[in-house]
Amino acid sequence: RKPFQVGLYKGLWRRKEDGATAGFFGINPRYRANDRLTISGNLNWDKNTNGKGYVNRNDNTNQIFFGNREVETITSELRLQYTFTNKMGLSLRSRNYWSRVEYNKFFDLQDNGTLVEGSYTGLDEGGLPLHDKDFTVFNLDLIYSWQIAPGSFLNVTYKQQTSNSDVIVRNDYFRNLSETLDIPGSNTVSVKLIYYLDYATLFGT
């Protein structure tokens, strides 16, 4: 019932065999300004280090390569909900997803399932990494909802989506977000009507 509330969560996991670790942290505040307006958000960060994953395959020798990698992901979300009446409301949600992957070592997969360091470098002819990845998605949703009859709704939705993928891994969250927003995205508007008919009233049964 308080106008402001916040939740926190965190965790850590470690595997002794190869030193792989995973940690995460999150916060989700909510503020109820009045009976009509509510503002809430969520911020989640997680990081995995020394994890092993499939990278590539040599078509000539059928050799399969794995890599030792670091994966960091940040997800942020902001939501605004405004209620005009008990049958009509407006909601706005923005969501930003940023994930980056960096490899620091590569292995050859053996027939017995073990990994052994080999000669594969994971670099192109210019010395740039082939498998590092920086991926960002930004979504914006604006939804107007009106209950026009019991169980029947009219929804008008505007959606915007922008994404960016690059082999250059950035360490600046706000610079990454700014560059993503500069990229032209897709914009859609949809109208959805759900109307339930009373079968007994229409057909007299």
Side-chain angles (χ1 to χ4, degrees):
R1 296 182 179 273
K2 299 294 184 180
F4 179 76
Q5 68 177 33
V6 61
L8 298 170
Y9 55 92
K10 63 176 295 186
L12 180 65
W13 169 86
R14 184 174 185 273
R15 185 170 58 218
K16 294 182 179 180
E17 289 78 7
D18 58 0
T21 63
F24 63 89
F25 171 81
I27 180 172
N28 47 8
R30 190 187 74 169
Y31 176 64
R32 182 167 53 85
N34 49 52
D35 292 339
R36 296 182 181 273
L37 177 63
T38 300
I39 303 172
S40 60
N42 181 64
L43 177 64
N44 182 80
W45 169 88
D46 64 75
K47 186 175 184 179
N48 299 271
T49 60
N50 292 324
K52 308 297 189 297
Y54 172 81
V55 171
N56 204 353
R57 178 175 181 169
N58 188 319
D59 293 332
N60 296 323
T61 63
N62 289 325
Q63 179 63 57
I64 297 175
F65 305 113
F66 271 62
N68 193 79
R69 60 194 179 189
E70 178 182 285
V71 183
E72 183 175 13
T73 303
I74 298 177
T75 306
S76 60
E77 186 175 353
L78 178 64
R79 297 181 297 273
L80 285 80
Q81 293 179 303
Y82 189 84
T83 303
F84 299 102
T85 68
N86 61 347
K87 296 182 179 180
M88 187 184 302
L90 187 70
S91 64
L92 174 67
R93 187 187 77 155
S94 66
R95 182 178 184 270
N96 183 47
Y97 173 88
W98 175 38
S99 183
R100 62 185 187 89
V101 181
E102 289 184 284
Y103 288 86
N104 52 47
K105 192 181 297 183
F106 295 93
F107 307 94
D108 295 341
L109 177 64
Q110 305 301 298
D111 293 336
N112 60 3
T114 60
L115 299 176
V116 176
E117 289 191 48
S119 59
Y120 183 69
T121 63
L123 303 176
D124 63 13
E125 296 179 354
L128 296 177
L130 289 168
H131 309 290
D132 291 357
K133 185 71 68 175
D134 190 296
F135 179 70
T136 306
V137 177
F138 180 82
N139 292 312
L140 181 68
D141 299 335
L142 180 64
I143 303 173
Y144 168 77
S145 181
W146 177 24
Q147 183 177 344
I148 57 179
S152 301
F153 293 88
L154 174 66
N155 295 326
V156 181
T157 303
Y158 165 75
K159 291 181 176 290
Q160 181 189 62
Q161 177 174 303
T162 305
S163 62
N164 184 25
S165 181
D166 203 339
V167 296
I168 300 176
V169 177
R170 301 168 179 81
N171 295 315
D172 189 327
Y173 175 84
F174 293 102
R175 177 187 173 188
N176 177 274
L177 176 60
S178 177
E179 292 181 358
T180 301
L181 294 177
D182 288 338
I183 299 174
S186 62
N187 299 272
T188 60
V189 177
S190 62
V191 179
K192 183 178 182 180
L193 175 64
I194 302 176
Y195 194 87
Y196 288 94
L197 301 175
D198 190 334
Y199 182 87
T201 301
L202 288 175
F203 299 97
T205 59

